[in-house]
């Protein structure tokens, strides 16, 4: 399977445009715009109202389907299923939106931290967190 070999050699795979994914994404965009307006997500607006950090803000089910929307089906799922096994249940979709004027300092963020985030494009890997007094990181 060409995509699997590409993944093994590069560590990533680019898939061609998929109309089912495009339909899901269009529906997800509408759901995301609604999530930004949801008062229960107001705490996710930061950086002087230039960044909506809406972790787990989309109301999808364990298969990725949003209410009233098409199923989330993709060649990626086929690749995973064929080579690794069934795709595990998905958690709520993460949503992040930046608005004109970003980056701005986060609430309580010091100057050095802001400069690092601004110069490094907010570089981070989700799930890698500091857990110890000596600031060692691990995946969670």
């Amino acid at each position: 399977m060409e995509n699997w070999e590409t993944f093994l050699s590069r560590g990533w795979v680019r898939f061609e445009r998929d109309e089912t994914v495009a339909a899901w994404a269009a529906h997800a965009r509408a759901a995301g715009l609604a999530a930004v307006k949801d008062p229960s997500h107001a705490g996710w607006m930061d950086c002087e109202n230039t960044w909506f950090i809406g972790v787990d803000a989309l109301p999808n089910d364990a298969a990725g389907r949003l209410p009233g929307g098409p199923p989330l089906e993709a060649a990626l799922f086929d690749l995973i299923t064929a080579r690794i096994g069934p795709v595990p249940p998905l958690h709520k979709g993460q949503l992040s939106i930046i608005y004109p004027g970003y980056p701005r300092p986060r609430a309580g963020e010091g100057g050095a931290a802001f400069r690092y985030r601004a110069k490094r494009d907010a570089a981070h890997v989700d799930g890698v967190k500091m857990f110890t007094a000596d600031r060692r990181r691990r995946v969670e």
Side-chain angles (χ1 to χ4, degrees):
M1 178 179 279
E2 181 180 342
N3 282 335
W4 184 250
E5 298 305 320
T6 300
F7 173 73
L8 291 176
S9 68
R10 281 196 254 169
W12 59 273
V13 176
R14 179 179 179 181
F15 292 92
E16 296 300 319
R17 179 179 170 84
D18 182 325
E19 292 306 320
T20 59
V21 174
W24 183 90
H27 194 78
R29 182 179 190 280
L33 293 173
V36 170
K37 295 175 184 173
D38 183 335
S40 70
H41 295 143
W44 293 114
M45 188 62 79
D46 203 346
C47 297
E48 300 173 7
N49 292 317
T50 63
W51 187 18
F52 178 79
I53 315 165
V55 177
D56 298 349
L58 294 180
N60 58 279
D61 65 17
R65 185 187 293 251
L66 292 157
L72 177 56
E73 299 174 339
L76 170 63
F77 292 162
D78 297 337
L79 178 66
I80 291 169
T81 301
R83 293 297 180 154
I84 299 171
V87 175
L90 302 175
H91 64 81
K92 301 296 181 194
Q94 294 185 7
L95 177 66
S96 181
I97 302 171
I98 58 171
Y99 295 95
Y102 179 85
R104 297 258 200 267
R106 292 187 75 173
E109 182 175 54
F114 171 68
R115 285 188 299 278
Y116 176 82
R117 187 169 52 80
K119 290 181 181 180
R120 300 287 186 181
D121 298 321
H124 72 278
V125 175
D126 281 352
V128 178
K129 302 176 183 179
M130 286 184 280
F131 287 94
T132 60
D134 62 350
R135 301 176 58 90
R136 296 269 183 190
R137 295 177 184 264
R138 72 172 194 230
V139 175
E140 181 179 272

